[in-house]
Amino acid sequence: MLYPVALVLLVLTALSLGKKDETLEQLIARADAARPEQQPDLYVEIAERQMKALTESSKGERWEEFRPELEQVVKYCERAQATAIQSKKKVKRTEIKIRQLSQRLRDLKLNVDADDQPSVQSAVDKLEHYRAELFRAMFGLGNKQND
């Protein structure tokens, strides 16, 4: 009786370890192919990975890698926001994660080259816009007509 339970636990452990070793490209492909209600979390995970790479590029002063990674953070936050609103799933969680990423970008802005500070601020502004859209979706703001 105990043997099948151990086997199931072993299989589940192997599956969870496999996802941790998943490359960014594999994660992107999985997110694009996922059901709409699963996409917000997957896109946020991609944005978080890109944010980690962005931070590493900043620390290493690899500005040629920094700029495209910044664009990717914004791109996948936008996708997370859009799919959360469209599916009406995980809206609050997506807003929280984007807020955290926005704060990390604000902190990072202080440590980047002066030439890159405007692009980081622009990214922060876009993430804040996505958050505002998520709030509107959560609380039904913007659906009322002005009388």
Side-chain angles (χ1 to χ4, degrees), residues 12-81:
L12 290 175
T13 302
L15 287 175
S16 69
L17 289 176
K19 286 185 179 179
K20 289 180 182 176
D21 293 337
E22 186 175 42
T23 67
L24 183 61
E25 291 77 20
Q26 291 169 329
L27 179 58
I28 292 169
R30 188 163 59 99
D32 290 341
R35 293 191 321 255
E37 64 272 8
Q38 295 173 324
Q39 288 179 325
D41 284 343
L42 294 170
Y43 287 135
V44 164
E45 184 179 341
I46 294 166
E48 288 172 333
R49 283 195 191 184
Q50 289 295 122
M51 185 68 198
K52 185 177 180 181
L54 178 73
T55 303
E56 293 301 317
S57 294
S58 171
K59 287 179 183 175
E61 296 185 4
R62 295 185 311 271
W63 306 116
E64 66 283 347
E65 295 171 21
F66 177 87
R67 293 173 190 103
E69 289 164 349
L70 181 62
E71 291 172 10
Q72 293 298 307
V73 170
V74 172
K75 174 183 175 179
Y76 286 102
C77 283
E78 179 182 25
R79 285 189 181 180
Q81 173 256 346

Side-chain angles (χ1 to χ4, degrees), residues 6 9 31 41 45 51-53 62 65 72-73 82 87 93-94 105-106 113 117-118 121 145:
L9 288 175
D41 284 343
E45 184 179 341
M51 185 68 198
K52 185 177 180 181
R62 295 185 311 271
E65 295 171 21
Q72 293 298 307
V73 170
S87 69
R93 184 181 335 186
T94 303
L105 281 175
R106 275 192 202 96
D113 188 48
Q117 287 182 358
Q121 183 59 52
Q145 295 179 352

Side-chain angles (χ1 to χ4, degrees), residues 2 32 35 38 73 101 107-109:
L2 220 45
D32 290 341
R35 293 191 321 255
Q38 295 173 324
V73 170
L101 287 166
D107 294 342
L108 184 66
K109 179 184 165 191

